[in-house]
Amino acid sequence: MARIKPVEKTRFNVFDILIILIVVACIAALILRLYVFNNEALTKKAEVKFSVNNVMQSTSEEMLKSIQNGTVLYLSSNEEVIGYVTDIKAERSTVFAEDEDGNQIEVYHPTNWNVYGTAVLYGTSGDLGFYVNGTMRAEINSVVSVFTSRVQFEMTLTSISAPTDKN
Amino acid sequence: MDKVNGKTKFNLIDILVLLTILVIIAAVVFFAVSRSNSLSNEKQYTIDFTVKITPVSGDNLALFKVGDTVLDSATGKTLGKVKEVRTEKVINVTSSYETLEDGSKVAKYGEYEDLYVVYVTVNGVATIDKHDVAHVAGNRILVGAPLYYAEGNYAATVFCTAFTVEGVK
């Protein structure tokens, strides 16, 4: 009588499942890094106007001296290239004071300056508009923390153009 | 691993396990080697950077002394030694103004009796990264960049107002 050989089934155990999960996580991380968090995925650009308000006079002077047309901007959070400056200028900050008749008038702040500029920022385009670095929706008054090789500052967006293709 | 006729055979999962372990080992070795290479190749520069500390009460002014060691209060790493200390009084902008000779109107200000802005210049050792940005103890040294400052018993979040990189150490 022929002996029937018992069939050995391959069964998954917890260890196997863990390994599969690790492999899947590695592949997912690789895909995210390559396609989602990579600057190459930033296919759009938008021209923004920005202000940096109430800085010391020496800071505004340093910004005017070190930032020119074409100066590259890096995102403070991850040091990736986020765009470049095309124009920059500085003016004294203002505050309100009372004149002799008790009216509120705008006068210069004794020490502070505002820096105004224009920059091209890289990002993506979505249903709700332009996303700086693909993550932050560009809105009037939104703040983007950036740095150059000399200055770190928080740019408050004051206008945003319609996004166009980066290349 | 499956046992067939008493012999141990590899299956797909085992191969995945081996590949994963190999990839992890390769990644660890790669990053360890590249990190040690980048550290050994980093030139060191002497740097003077000035931070603005405000407001500081008059009682605490004596805490800022030339020669003191300045630490990063977040990491405990050394930022450098105090080279110079300068103080100004904190100002208070009022609602009145004065008209200057050129016709511009500027708000008047007063000074607080016992509150100061302290500017401390620290001499330290920096490295320069691929963006030409100076780093001291892992901190970006840029005008406007925040630092976690600790000198003796005093700690505060401060901002860099100026810096000069003086050359290779």
Side-chain angles (χ1 to χ4, degrees), chain A residues 5 8-12 15-17 19-20 22-23 26 56 58-59 62 74-81 92 95-100 105-111 147-153, chain B residues 2-6 11 13-14 16-17 20 24 52 91 93-97 100 104-109 119 129-135 140-146 160-165:
Chain A
K5 189 179 172 185
E8 289 190 23
K9 287 184 178 174
T10 303
R11 287 180 181 243
F12 282 93
F15 184 68
D16 295 328
I17 292 168
I19 296 304
I20 290 171
I22 290 170
V23 172
C26 287
M56 295 165 59
S58 62
T59 301
E62 177 68 48
Y74 303 97
L75 206 57
S76 296
S77 57
N78 60 12
E79 303 195 349
E80 287 184 358
V81 174
R92 296 182 75 162
V95 291
F96 283 95
E98 278 185 9
D99 66 12
E100 302 82 19
I105 62 166
E106 200 170 7
V107 300
Y108 290 128
H109 190 282
T111 58
F147 69 90
T148 69
S149 61
R150 289 288 308 178
V151 192
Q152 181 167 325
F153 55 96
Chain B
D2 300 327
K3 283 198 169 184
V4 178
N5 295 332
N11 61 25
I13 300 298
D14 298 322
L16 276 176
V17 171
T20 307
I24 290 170
K52 179 182 182 181
I91 66 163
V93 178
T94 68
S95 60
S96 58
Y97 65 91
L100 303 183
S104 59
K105 297 179 172 63
V106 180
K108 288 183 177 176
Y109 64 92
Y119 294 94
D129 71 10
K130 60 184 178 183
H131 303 314
D132 283 337
V133 173
H135 289 251
R140 280 196 291 261
I141 303 296
L142 296 167
V143 172
C160 179
T161 60
F163 70 96
T164 52
V165 178

Side-chain angles (χ1 to χ4, degrees), chain B:
Chain B
M1 279 175 265
D2 300 327
K3 283 198 169 184
V4 178
N5 295 332
K7 289 184 177 176
T8 304
K9 288 199 170 184
F10 281 95
N11 61 25
L12 182 64
I13 300 298
D14 298 322
I15 293 168
L16 276 176
V17 171
L18 286 173
L19 282 176
T20 307
I21 291 170
L22 284 174
V23 167
I24 290 170
I25 292 170
V28 167
V29 170
F30 175 79
F31 285 114
V33 170
S34 58
R35 175 74 182 148
S36 62
N37 279 345
S38 67
L39 281 177
S40 61
N41 290 335
E42 278 178 344
K43 285 182 183 170
Q44 293 189 319
Y45 299 81
T46 55
I47 187 171
D48 284 348
F49 59 96
T50 302
V51 297
K52 179 182 182 181
I53 310 167
T54 184
V56 178
S57 71
D59 296 339
N60 289 331
L61 286 182
L63 295 173
F64 302 96
K65 294 191 291 279
V66 172
D68 273 4
T69 298
V70 177
L71 303 176
D72 179 329
S73 65
T75 63
K77 291 181 179 173
T78 301
L79 294 175
K81 287 198 178 295
V82 176
K83 186 177 179 182
E84 186 184 329
V85 179
R86 182 168 62 85
T87 60
E88 289 175 1
K89 286 202 165 173
V90 175
I91 66 163
N92 169 34
V93 178
T94 68
S95 60
S96 58
Y97 65 91
E98 60 183 336
T99 305
L100 303 183
E101 286 179 4
D102 62 2
S104 59
K105 297 179 172 63
V106 180
K108 288 183 177 176
Y109 64 92
E111 292 178 339
Y112 285 98
E113 187 62 33
D114 201 32
L115 281 181
Y116 294 85
V117 181
V118 180
Y119 294 94
V120 178
T121 300
V122 179
N123 177 254
V125 177
T127 55
I128 307 293
D129 71 10
K130 60 184 178 183
H131 303 314
D132 283 337
V133 173
H135 289 251
V136 173
N139 296 282
R140 280 196 291 261
I141 303 296
L142 296 167
V143 172
L147 289 165
Y148 301 109
Y149 181 100
E151 180 186 346
N153 292 327
Y154 192 92
T157 302
V158 303
F159 288 89
C160 179
T161 60
F163 70 96
T164 52
V165 178
E166 293 175 351
V168 180
K169 192 174 190 290

